[in-house]
Amino acid sequence: MSEEALVLTVESPASCLRCRNCGAQFPLIAVHACAECFGPLEVGYDQEKLNAVTRAQIEAGPQNIWRYAPLLPVGQDPETRATLNPGMTKLVRADRLGAELGFTAPLWVKDDSGNPTHAFKDRVVSLALTAAKGLGFTSVACASTGNLANSVAAHAARIGWPATVFIPADLEPSKIIASAVYAPRLVAVDGSYDDVNRLTSELGETDEFESTAFVNQNVRPYYAEGSKTLGYEVAEQLGWKIPAQVVIPIASGSLLTKIDKAFAELAKIGLVPNTPWKVFGAQSLGCSPVAEAFHAGHDVVQPVRPTGIAKSLNIGNPADGPYVLDAVRRTGGSIAVADDDDIREGISLLARTTGIFAETAGGVTVSCLAKLVKDGLIDTSQETVIYNTGEGLKTADVLDVHPTHRIKPTLKSATEAGLLS
Amino acid sequence: MSEEALVLTVESPASCLRCRNCGAQFPLIAVHACAECFGPLEVGYDQEKLNAVTRAQIEAGPQNIWRYAPLLPVGQDPETRATLNPGMTKLVRADRLGAELGFTAPLWVKDDSGNPTHAFKDRVVSLALTAAKGLGFTSVACASTGNLANSVAAHAARIGWPATVFIPADLEPSKIIASAVYAPRLVAVDGSYDDVNRLTSELGETDEFESTAFVNQNVRPYYAEGSKTLGYEVAEQLGWKIPAQVVIPIASGSLLTKIDKAFAELAKIGLVPNTPWKVFGAQSLGCSPVAEAFHAGHDVVQPVRPTGIAKSLNIGNPADGPYVLDAVRRTGGSIAVADDDDIREGISLLARTTGIFAETAGGVTVSCLAKLVKDGLIDTSQETVIYNTGEGLKTADVLDVHPTHRIKPTLKSATEAGLLS
């Protein structure tokens, strides 16, 4: 199987791959870098087809990402999908959190821990595998900071494909188990995510992996489009409008840029009023190259060696860094940073005010929300949505929380412990 | 506040509490044992109101348990609800699992790990807290084997109520953390669940806990009705029909009896065809008092001291044991038992064939399904639904799964590990 032969032939609104750097166009193939300039490719659409999409059409769809199939490059026919059917996760009104932070306008948490493998990655993997199937691949692989590994392994188990999943060896135990349980080839690599990613780029060029879709490499343009659904859903769940402010964690930066793209698409099609929105980013202090570039006024991002507990965000050389800078600057947002103690405090604040248990990435986002409010960069009189991208159970080992009392099963012991006066 | 004063006054199809033992009727009060005979009370309904409910009415409701509010005792008015809005979790077609077990008819997994705190307990807690609010309580407590603790603590955080959560001190670390993170009074008790339950029964009688709803004690009749939604949803998701066979894990036994009750209600109302169904139970070898009574032909259940890894099922003195025996015998089902190795194997089998990562209780259920098929008690030519009641991340510590390869981030190391030939 040669990559040149692979072209998506399904009927969809996607019309081409387009270089985000030089604008060169290509057919719908299994390549993610421009043959002209090595810039990143993204999916281009037939705007007339997009313009024909209606709210009613979407609302009549299933309660998952595939309701937006008319706005996606693959998966229009249910039979073609390779998917756990993620999406339509809860948009939770966070009144008690809003009150603590001084909000007068509604504050919402888009809680993507409700997805099948409890992270937003199910969205992108469903797009990647559906594209992979359409392109003729027969196995799947990825480099991952953990959540992607869980999702790729679970998707492969559902559809019966062989999977090879590459992770940094020092990942959280829960994320390792939640990949291994699906019985993929699970390869622990002594190195950072960026090291793992470099290795899988090389492996993708070998004969042995010729029939393998690397979800965030050769099918990345399709994969990345899955994140748009996190913008579509929020807009629909708010009653078809764009929130005035959003706070989004940054790893590769793809999620942030695709939510921004989704809002722009909806407004262009006319599915929502074209109201302004501001995009705010959240990074951890242990890996804040995009925040640093933003505050230094740079257009490019200087790679760093990540540290710290927010391992799912620990991408030191973020592929979409420059596009994040574009989106944040264009919309008038900002990027905040949270250290490890802030992250733990953010997890606790979210949990005790909303009942949502977020992983470290969610702690980063909540803590950055609080900072952005404190610094006057987020307007508490404007409707705001923050994205929780993953589940607290996956990173529970970083918390230092315990029972408040320990007793024997007697009223006497309960009294001595102060539970009865 | 005296309990005698507490009567639910909301408009609902519920008409009374009725003793399941002697039939005595009571108003909708905060009591769970019959004043005449100490038998368990359950909610009675106005059958004429139930008969008026239509499929269209339910289908027009929200994508959570409250779509069935016309069949529930509380929560008809959204403003009265105290809830994380659980429910409408995925019913997953398990073709690869079915093929391994020799099914020719569809096999489905109702995957309740998709609930907000990733177990079916969110359903019952939402009912309990909504009833508690209607009854005038101002705080909440529970005795729990873990999942209930997580759900009560999360619900209390969402609505801002004080919570006191009692757990056996030896629970799985993840279940302790996933309660503690919400900052309730979390009381670790040196003893079994049955010891904890006895203690909370005594505490419920004290002045200090007079204003406290114990979700599985004084508001248990309302609480238990939440489990009916697991029957309603499966019937609706199958296109409004009752599956021929269901396999359900047994802890207190309440879940199994309520799913059976839900099917009977739907048929009686005429929302589904009145086709026969068989109810199968699943217990772990470390705590199998209901299975033992079933196979010995007894009508009562002899309490045991639980052991083994399926801690969420470790109730040695199951309150609904006799009613489980009734339901299983009446429908022509059976009860199987799985030991700790079987449970781990069940978790792995489900994961690698469906992409669903279940907790130990789910491992019990899958393993028992396989045994029931092997013993010819489940008919593989009949449509079958198994219930996964909780999330694998909560009991990940029992698994012995690991990366299959460990390498350096180089092609040389990948080759040496056999990843490239």
Side-chain angles (χ1 to χ4, degrees):
Chain A
M1 195 168 82
S2 85
E3 286 197 350
E4 288 67 29
L6 299 175
V7 181
L8 268 182
T9 55
V10 296
E11 185 67 22
S12 96
S15 58
C16 66
L17 295 185
R18 186 183 291 122
C19 177
R20 288 160 82 181
N21 186 43
C22 75
Q25 292 193 14
F26 304 88
L28 293 164
I29 53 177
V31 174
H32 73 302
C34 176
E36 308 290 330
C37 75
F38 300 104
L41 300 184
E42 71 173 350
V43 176
Y45 293 89
D46 179 336
Q47 188 65 38
E48 281 191 22
K49 285 188 184 167
L50 298 186
N51 289 342
V53 176
T54 66
R55 291 184 189 176
Q57 180 184 2
I58 291 166
E59 289 167 353
Q63 292 292 324
N64 57 51
I65 58 168
W66 300 112
R67 68 202 279 108
Y68 305 106
L71 305 172
L72 295 173
V74 291
Q76 284 70 35
D77 174 358
E79 293 299 312
T80 65
R81 297 172 193 159
T83 181
L84 303 176
N85 292 313
M88 284 308 271
T89 53
K90 293 184 194 305
L91 182 68
V92 175
R93 176 81 174 242
D95 287 343
R96 300 187 60 234
L97 176 60
E100 287 217 14
L101 298 179
F103 273 83
T104 54
L107 174 65
W108 304 85
V109 181
K110 177 64 171 172
D111 183 16
D112 241 22
S113 67
N115 276 321
T117 72
H118 311 303
F120 87 97
K121 293 293 186 183
D122 289 331
R123 300 172 183 273
V124 287
V125 174
S126 280
L127 268 283
L129 276 184
T130 300
K133 207 172 134 185
L135 287 161
F137 290 106
T138 53
S139 61
V140 60
C142 72
S144 170
T145 59
N147 283 320
L148 183 62
N150 298 170
S151 183
V152 166
H155 273 78
R158 177 74 59 87
I159 65 174
W161 273 25
T164 312
V165 171
F166 295 85
I167 54 173
D170 70 346
L171 274 195
E172 296 92 343
S174 290
K175 286 186 178 166
I176 294 176
I177 295 171
S179 294
V181 72
Y182 301 112
R185 286 204 298 187
L186 181 61
V187 185
V189 181
D190 294 313
S192 68
Y193 169 78
D194 301 284
D195 295 327
V196 179
N197 201 38
R198 256 193 310 274
L199 174 64
T200 54
S201 293
E202 295 176 33
L203 288 170
E205 301 300 318
T206 64
D207 289 348
E208 284 79 0
F209 286 93
E210 191 183 45
S211 305
T212 300
F214 284 75
V215 298
N216 44 355
Q217 292 173 18
N218 51 11
V219 292
R220 187 177 180 86
Y222 311 101
Y223 162 95
E225 292 294 284
S227 291
K228 290 195 309 182
T229 60
L230 265 169
Y232 299 151
E233 286 181 20
V234 161
E236 181 180 353
Q237 289 172 319
L238 289 175
W240 294 108
K241 67 177 178 188
I242 300 171
Q245 303 170 122
V246 290
V247 186
I248 305 167
I250 301 168
S252 76
S254 174
L255 174 65
L256 184 147
T257 62
K258 291 296 179 176
I259 292 173
D260 175 63
K261 182 183 181 190
F263 292 156
E265 277 184 0
L266 292 180
K268 188 168 181 187
I269 299 169
L271 289 171
V272 298
N274 191 4
T275 53
W277 66 91
K278 291 185 179 184
V279 178
F280 295 86
Q283 288 208 300
S284 82
L285 186 63
C287 182
S288 55
V290 188
E292 283 168 31
F294 177 79
H295 292 291
H298 296 161
D299 292 333
V300 293
V301 173
Q302 193 70 33
V304 300
R305 186 92 190 165
T307 61
I309 62 173
K311 294 186 182 180
S312 66
L313 302 182
N314 280 354
I315 298 182
N317 188 12
D320 286 79
Y323 304 102
V324 168
L325 294 171
D326 281 352
V328 172
R329 287 180 177 139
R330 172 175 41 77
T331 63
S334 184
I335 304 178
V337 170
D339 70 23
D340 284 358
D341 285 342
D342 297 334
I343 294 168
R344 292 190 186 91
E345 174 52 34
I347 292 171
S348 291
L349 174 61
L350 184 70
R352 69 178 168 74
T353 57
T354 68
I356 296 169
F357 181 19
E359 66 159 54
T360 45
V364 169
T365 305
V366 173
S367 173
C368 286
L369 167 70
K371 281 173 205 280
L372 291 162
V373 167
K374 196 175 164 200
D375 293 346
L377 295 165
I378 277 189
D379 179 352
T380 52
S381 72
Q382 297 283 318
E383 188 157 47
T384 302
V385 175
I386 68 173
Y387 284 84
N388 175 41
T389 50
E391 167 59 40
L393 286 165
K394 293 195 185 190
T395 61
D397 53 307
V398 307
L399 295 179
D400 190 27
V401 295
H402 305 280
T404 54
H405 300 71
R406 173 119 189 204
I407 65 173
K408 295 188 174 62
T410 63
L411 282 182
K412 180 166 174 284
S413 183
T415 306
E416 286 168 2
L419 293 167
L420 297 168
S421 50
Chain B
M1 194 170 81
S2 85
E3 286 196 352
E4 287 69 28
L6 299 175
V7 182
L8 268 183
T9 56
V10 294
E11 185 67 23
S12 96
S15 58
C16 66
L17 294 185
R18 185 184 292 123
C19 178
R20 288 160 84 180
N21 187 42
C22 75
Q25 291 194 12
F26 303 88
L28 292 163
I29 54 179
V31 174
H32 73 302
C34 176
E36 308 290 329
C37 75
F38 299 105
L41 301 182
E42 71 172 350
V43 176
Y45 293 89
D46 180 335
Q47 188 64 39
E48 281 191 24
K49 284 189 185 168
L50 298 187
N51 289 343
V53 177
T54 65
R55 290 183 189 176
Q57 181 184 1
I58 291 166
E59 289 167 353
Q63 292 292 324
N64 56 51
I65 58 168
W66 301 113
R67 68 202 279 107
Y68 305 106
L71 305 172
L72 295 173
V74 293
Q76 284 69 35
D77 174 358
E79 291 299 311
T80 66
R81 296 173 195 160
T83 183
L84 303 176
N85 293 313
M88 285 307 272
T89 52
K90 293 186 195 304
L91 182 68
V92 176
R93 176 83 175 241
D95 287 343
R96 300 187 62 235
L97 177 59
E100 287 218 13
L101 298 178
F103 273 83
T104 54
L107 174 65
W108 304 85
V109 181
K110 178 63 172 172
D111 183 15
D112 241 22
S113 68
N115 276 320
T117 72
H118 311 303
F120 87 96
K121 294 293 186 183
D122 288 330
R123 299 172 183 271
V124 288
V125 174
S126 280
L127 268 283
L129 276 183
T130 300
K133 208 172 136 185
L135 287 161
F137 289 104
T138 53
S139 61
V140 62
C142 72
S144 170
T145 58
N147 283 320
L148 183 61
N150 299 167
S151 183
V152 165
H155 273 78
R158 177 75 58 89
I159 66 174
W161 274 25
T164 312
V165 171
F166 296 86
I167 54 173
D170 69 347
L171 275 195
E172 296 93 343
S174 289
K175 285 188 179 166
I176 294 176
I177 294 170
S179 294
V181 71
Y182 301 112
R185 286 203 299 187
L186 181 61
V187 185
V189 180
D190 293 315
S192 68
Y193 170 79
D194 301 283
D195 296 327
V196 178
N197 200 39
R198 258 192 309 274
L199 174 65
T200 54
S201 293
E202 295 176 31
L203 288 170
E205 301 300 317
T206 64
D207 290 348
E208 282 80 1
F209 285 94
E210 193 182 44
S211 305
T212 299
F214 284 75
V215 298
N216 44 356
Q217 293 172 20
N218 52 10
V219 293
R220 186 176 180 87
Y222 312 101
Y223 161 95
E225 291 293 285
S227 291
K228 290 196 308 182
T229 59
L230 265 170
Y232 300 150
E233 286 180 19
V234 162
E236 182 180 353
Q237 289 171 319
L238 288 175
W240 293 107
K241 68 177 177 188
I242 300 172
Q245 304 172 120
V246 290
V247 187
I248 306 167
I250 302 168
S252 76
S254 175
L255 173 65
L256 184 147
T257 63
K258 293 296 180 177
I259 290 173
D260 175 63
K261 184 184 181 189
F263 292 156
E265 278 183 0
L266 292 180
K268 188 169 180 186
I269 299 168
L271 290 171
V272 298
N274 191 4
T275 52
W277 67 92
K278 291 185 180 184
V279 178
F280 295 85
Q283 289 208 299
S284 81
L285 185 64
C287 182
S288 56
V290 189
E292 284 168 29
F294 177 80
H295 291 290
H298 296 160
D299 292 333
V300 293
V301 172
Q302 193 69 32
V304 300
R305 187 93 191 165
T307 60
I309 61 173
K311 294 186 182 182
S312 67
L313 301 182
N314 280 354
I315 299 184
N317 188 12
D320 286 78
Y323 305 102
V324 169
L325 295 171
D326 282 352
V328 172
R329 287 180 177 139
R330 174 176 38 77
T331 62
S334 185
I335 305 178
V337 170
D339 70 23
D340 284 357
D341 285 342
D342 296 334
I343 295 168
R344 292 190 186 91
E345 175 51 34
I347 292 171
S348 291
L349 175 61
L350 184 69
R352 69 179 167 75
T353 57
T354 69
I356 296 170
F357 182 18
E359 66 159 53
T360 46
V364 169
T365 305
V366 172
S367 173
C368 286
L369 167 70
K371 282 173 202 280
L372 291 162
V373 167
K374 197 176 163 198
D375 294 345
L377 296 164
I378 278 188
D379 179 351
T380 52
S381 71
Q382 297 283 315
E383 187 156 46
T384 302
V385 175
I386 68 173
Y387 284 84
N388 175 40
T389 52
E391 167 60 39
L393 286 164
K394 293 194 184 191
T395 61
D397 52 309
V398 307
L399 296 179
D400 191 28
V401 293
H402 305 279
T404 53
H405 300 71
R406 174 120 188 203
I407 64 172
K408 295 190 173 59
T410 63
L411 283 182
K412 180 164 173 285
S413 184
T415 306
E416 286 166 3
L419 292 167
L420 296 169
S421 50

